[in-house]
Amino acid sequence: MKTILEQITAAMEEAFEACGYESRFAKVSLSNRPDLCEYQCNGALAAAKTYHKAPIQIASDVAEKLQNHPMFLDAAAAAPGFLNLKLSGNYLAGYLNRMMQEERLGCEPIGADKSVIIDYGGPNVAKPLHVGHLRAAIIGESLKRIYRYNGYQVIGDVHLGDWGLQMGLIIEETRSRHPELPYFDEAFTGDYPSDPPFTISDLEEIYPTASAKAKQDETFAKAAHDATVKLQKGNPGYQAIFRHILAVSIADLKKNYARLKVDFDIWKGESDAQPYIPDMIEKMKQDGLLYESQGALVVDVKEDTDTKEIPPCIVQKSDGASLYATTDLATLVEREKLYHPDEVLYVVDKRQDMHFTQVFRTARKASIIRPETKLTFLGFGTMNGKDGKPFKTREGGVMRLEHLIRDINEAVYARIMENREISEEDAHEISQIIGLAALKYGDLSNQATKDYVFDVDRFTSFEGNTGPYILYTMVRIKSILGKYRAASGNAELPKALSDAKSSSEKELQLLLSRANDVIAAACAEIAPHRLCQYIYEVSNAFNKFYHETKILGEEDGEKQKGWIALLSASLTVLADCIDLLGFEAPEKM
Ligand code: ARG
C-alpha cells in the first residue's frame, strides 16, 4: 500500500493541479514544527517564481481547495507561504486499520524479483569468534531481515576465512604432536579416520601455540608454509585434516551464532573460491588487464576523479601465491556463476575500505560481474571500550564473543533480581533474551559506519534509548492486553482503532502510521539505526499515552475497544521492528 506520506502527497498534488499549479510543487514532508502541524508542504515558496505570484497567495489558493477534504482536519496557509497540515482523526485511524490488515504492515515489496547476497560473517576457522566479528553478525543479520521484509530474495553467506597460513600452522603443529597419524603417512592408501584428531578447545589452543612458535622458530615457520602449499595443491592427508578443522570449527561457530540469533543460508568460505582463480587470472591476462610490477601481477584501478591515491590491485604475488583480493574476486566469479545476484552487500570493518574499492573496481574492469550488478560495501566502525580505544578484556586481550555475551547477561540478571519477585530460573531465561536485545540495540542504534562505546551499564538500563526499554514497553503492552483478554473472557481482541481522543493518542497513531515508510527507508539507506530511532519514538509516545490514559478502567466500552486496538497495533509494529533488528521480547520482565 502507499505510505501515508505518499497518500498525503497525492492529495496535495491534486489540490495544486485543481488550482492551476503544477503538481511537482506539491512535495509534502513531516512537519519540522510539530507544535503547529503534522505535515507540511513548502511548494508554494518554490512555485512563486514560476507563477509570478506571492507564495502566500499560492498557499492560500491550495488551502482553500483543501477545506472539507476528508484527509485533513486543518490545512492552513502560513506566512510566507507554508502549508500546514493536520490529518483528520478518521483518515488517520482508517489508514492504520488498513495497514494492520495488510501483510508486512503494508510495506511494498520493492525488492521482489531482485536477489542480494549479504556477506556478513568472515569468522576465521579455528580461531574463536571475537568482538570484531560481532558487529558484522549483528548488522548483517538485521540487514538480511530488512531486505527480506522489503521483498528481496536474500542469501546470507558466512564467507569463512578458511584459507591460508593458519591451516598450515595447525597441520604442522598436529604433526609434531602426533606424527603417527595416517594423515602424515605419504604411503597411506586407506580411508582416513572419520573422527577428528582434535576438539574445538584443542584447536583453540593449537592455533595460538603454533602461531607463536612460527614467530620464533624459522624451521617450523617454513614447515607450516610448506604444509599450506601442499594442502592447497591437494595433498590427500592434509585435505582430510582440513576437512576435520572445518567440520569442528563450523559446528562451534554455528552454536555461537545461534546464541546471537544469527544464521546464514550458505556456509561457503574462501577455500571454495580457489578453483576459480586460474581461469580468472588467465582471462584477465587475455584481456590485457594484468601487468607485472616488481614480479607481482596487478590491475590498475585508479580513476581520474579519485581524490586519494588508489594503488593497483595485486592479484598474484611474485611467488605465484594468491591474496585476499584474489580470493574476493574469485568469490565474485563463483557468486555470479551460482547465484547471479543483482547486488552483493559486504558488511565488513571499515578499515577494509581500500581493499573493497580495489576489488570492486577490478571486478568491474574484468567483467567478473554484470555491469548492472550492484556492489555495496557497508564498512562499520569499531566497538570501543570506555577509554575510547578498541574494546579489550580487563587484561588487555581480545574479548571473546561468548565472554562478552556472558557479561551482558549477568548484568541484566543482576538488574532483574534487584527489585523483582521472580524465580531465579525465570530470571536466567529472561536475562538471556534481554541481554541479547541490550547488546544488539546498543550496536544497531548507532549509525553503522561510526565507532561506538560499548557500555554494559548503559546498554542494560531499563530507561533511555536502550533495548531493554523497548522490551519493557512491549511487555507493558502485553500485560495490559492480557488483562483485557482475561476480563473479557478471552474473546478476540478488538481490531478497529478509532479517531484519536487526545493529543498523546494522536501522536502515537501518527508514528505508527509511518512504520512501512521507515522500514522501507531502513532498507534503501542500509540503515538499521533508523528502525531503532523509530521504535524509541514509538515507545516514548506509547508510554506518554499510557500515563495519560486509564485504559483498563475506562467505562465507555467503545472507547476502550479503540484503545485496545491501538495497543495491539503498537505491539505489532514494535514486534515487527525488533524482529528486523534480530531480537525478541519476553512475556514478562
Ligand atoms: N575473514 C575476514 C577477517 O576476519 C573478513 C572477511 C570479510 N568478507 C570478505 N568477503 N572479505 O578480517
Side-chain angles (χ1 to χ4, degrees):
M1 76 191 278
K2 279 200 168 121
T3 65
I4 196 158
L5 186 63
E6 285 166 347
Q7 287 194 0
I8 301 168
T9 304
M12 195 56 77
E13 285 173 348
E14 228 171 74
F16 266 72
E17 280 184 346
C19 296
Y21 305 119
E22 276 179 71
S23 61
R24 67 185 166 101
F25 293 113
K27 202 171 162 300
V28 178
S29 57
L30 261 184
S31 162
N32 51 23
R33 284 291 302 274
D35 51 326
L36 295 179
C37 58
E38 295 153 2
Y39 285 88
Q40 68 184 57
C41 170
N42 304 347
L45 297 162
K49 262 203 202 110
T50 310
Y51 299 103
H52 306 292
K53 272 193 191 173
I56 190 71
Q57 182 59 53
I58 298 174
S60 302
D61 290 350
V62 177
E64 180 68 27
K65 263 277 166 306
L66 291 172
Q67 298 314 306
N68 303 318
H69 193 292
M71 190 179 280
F72 302 107
L73 173 70
D74 190 27
F82 298 118
L83 273 157
N84 291 344
L85 308 170
K86 282 188 184 157
L87 300 184
S88 81
N90 193 332
Y91 164 70
L92 179 57
Y95 184 88
L96 278 168
N97 285 328
R98 239 198 85 198
M99 181 170 145
M100 288 301 134
Q101 281 164 13
E102 298 264 330
E103 257 174 60
R104 293 174 287 108
L105 304 174
C107 214
E108 283 294 316
I110 47 160
D113 66 62
K114 285 209 191 69
S115 63
V116 187
I117 294 179
I118 308 187
D119 181 319
Y120 65 101
N124 299 310
V125 159
K127 301 187 202 171
L129 280 179
H130 60 76
V131 297
H133 298 114
L134 180 69
R135 294 211 75 190
I138 292 179
I139 299 167
E141 177 69 24
S142 173
L143 288 173
K144 182 182 76 184
R145 294 172 183 218
I146 292 171
Y147 268 75
R148 282 204 180 129
Y149 201 94
N150 283 275
Y152 289 87
Q153 195 202 318
V154 188
I155 301 176
D157 185 4
V158 71
H159 196 70
L160 294 171
D162 60 357
W163 198 245
L165 187 61
Q166 86 245 41
M167 298 302 165
L169 285 166
I170 295 169
I171 292 174
E172 205 41 44
E173 181 62 19
T174 307
R175 183 221 298 283
S176 66
R177 295 181 190 192
H178 303 286
E180 74 289 354
L181 289 173
Y183 310 101
F184 308 112
D185 177 0
E186 298 283 342
F188 186 79
T189 51
D191 289 338
Y192 293 107
S194 54
D195 283 340
F198 31 59
T199 63
I200 186 69
S201 332
D202 296 336
L203 278 183
E204 286 175 1
E205 176 268 320
I206 293 174
Y207 172 72
T209 307
S211 173
K213 199 157 148 190
K215 283 193 187 105
Q216 284 160 7
D217 178 346
E218 250 176 63
T219 325
F220 181 79
K222 167 123 192 3
H225 177 84
D226 292 347
T228 312
V229 175
K230 246 168 126 173
L231 165 71
Q232 299 185 346
K233 290 217 166 112
N235 177 289
Y238 288 13
Q239 291 275 335
I241 301 190
F242 174 65
R243 282 192 296 274
H244 284 313
I245 300 175
L246 269 188
V248 170
S249 279
I250 288 177
D252 182 62
L253 284 169
K254 283 193 172 161
K255 218 171 60 201
N256 277 292
Y257 278 122
R259 243 182 251 162
L260 284 172
K261 285 200 171 299
V262 169
D263 85 312
F264 297 93
D265 304 295
I266 51 176
W267 281 77
K268 293 207 159 256
E270 297 179 354
S271 66
D272 292 291
Q274 305 309 315
Y276 297 91
I277 292 179
D279 284 356
M280 177 181 83
I281 293 194
E282 191 46 44
K283 181 168 176 300
M284 286 176 157
K285 274 187 191 151
Q286 277 167 16
D287 292 348
L289 291 175
L290 286 175
Y291 70 92
E292 222 181 284
S293 166
Q294 298 167 352
L297 290 178
V298 307
V299 179
D300 259 335
V301 290
K302 61 173 187 291
E303 287 169 8
D304 292 343
T305 48
D306 289 343
T307 49
K308 65 175 178 196
E309 159 116 21
I310 312 285
C313 181
I314 308 176
V315 178
Q316 195 173 72
K317 285 203 287 193
S318 50
D319 63 359
S322 52
L323 303 92
Y324 189 37
T326 327
T327 298
D328 265 326
L329 286 166
T331 303
L332 276 174
V333 174
E334 182 188 26
R335 287 176 177 164
E336 178 59 33
K337 179 166 176 236
L338 301 184
Y339 309 108
H340 217 57
D342 296 295
E343 179 176 359
V344 186
L345 168 60
Y346 296 82
V347 184
V348 183
D349 193 311
K350 72 177 172 199
R351 285 168 288 193
Q352 296 194 22
D353 186 13
M354 179 61 85
H355 164 76
F356 283 102
T357 302
Q358 292 172 315
V359 167
F360 290 179
R361 287 185 181 184
T362 306
R364 290 217 179 279
K365 268 187 117 166
S367 303
I368 286 174
I369 47 156
R370 289 164 295 139
E372 63 274 22
T373 307
K374 228 168 115 185
L375 295 177
T376 314
F377 172 60
L378 177 63
F380 53 78
T382 310
M383 180 173 130
N384 288 327
K386 280 190 186 162
D387 58 359
K389 300 206 186 91
F391 191 84
K392 292 267 159 63
T393 59
R394 236 167 280 153
E395 293 74 36
V398 178
M399 183 72 146
R400 288 178 60 149
L401 198 54
E402 44 189 307
H403 295 164
L404 185 95
I405 296 174
R406 185 197 57 202
D407 287 359
I408 283 243
N409 290 351
E410 278 173 7
V412 173
Y413 179 78
R415 267 185 213 271
I416 298 181
M417 291 307 277
E418 245 167 50
N419 44 16
R420 261 158 259 263
E421 295 117 32
I422 188 166
S423 76
E424 270 180 43
E425 200 188 331
D426 279 356
H428 271 299
E429 202 186 306
I430 292 170
S431 55
Q432 288 190 14
I433 300 176
I434 303 175
L436 189 63
L439 180 66
K440 288 194 166 185
Y441 192 93
D443 187 303
L444 293 169
S445 53
N446 304 283
Q447 204 177 317
T449 50
K450 297 213 166 111
D451 298 348
Y452 74 94
V453 173
F454 180 80
D455 182 342
V456 180
D457 291 335
R458 192 169 73 75
F459 288 4
T460 58
S461 167
F462 283 31
E463 280 149 45
N465 189 7
T466 69
Y469 169 67
I470 308 289
L471 298 190
Y472 191 72
T473 307
M474 292 177 70
V475 167
R476 171 175 273 167
I477 300 175
K478 286 188 189 189
S479 144
I480 304 169
L481 293 179
K483 284 183 187 147
Y484 178 87
R485 238 191 231 111
S488 61
N490 284 320
E492 220 183 294
L493 290 176
K495 288 214 174 74
L497 283 83
S498 34
D499 298 12
K501 312 277 182 303
S502 64
S503 66
S504 63
E505 183 177 5
K506 188 161 192 198
E507 209 161 299
L508 178 57
Q509 288 194 1
L510 281 166
L511 269 169
L512 294 177
S513 69
R514 287 172 42 211
N516 46 29
D517 203 0
V518 174
I519 295 172
C523 186
E525 296 166 23
I526 326 182
H529 76 276
R530 293 281 308 260
L531 289 181
C532 294
Q533 225 166 42
Y534 172 70
I535 57 176
Y536 182 49
E537 283 177 49
V538 170
S539 298
N540 284 338
F542 171 78
N543 286 313
K544 183 156 182 258
F545 165 72
Y546 168 79
H547 286 299
E548 287 178 5
T549 319
K550 273 217 158 13
I551 301 166
L552 291 171
E554 176 57 49
E555 281 169 12
D556 180 338
E558 282 312 301
K559 229 181 187 179
Q560 190 182 45
K561 278 185 186 160
W563 286 339
I564 292 297
L566 175 60
L567 261 61
S568 280
S570 306
L571 186 60
T572 303
V573 166
L574 289 172
D576 274 19
C577 289
I578 65 166
D579 184 58
L580 292 175
L581 295 169
F583 57 90
E584 59 187 20
E587 288 310 308
K588 55 181 180 186
M589 66 190 269

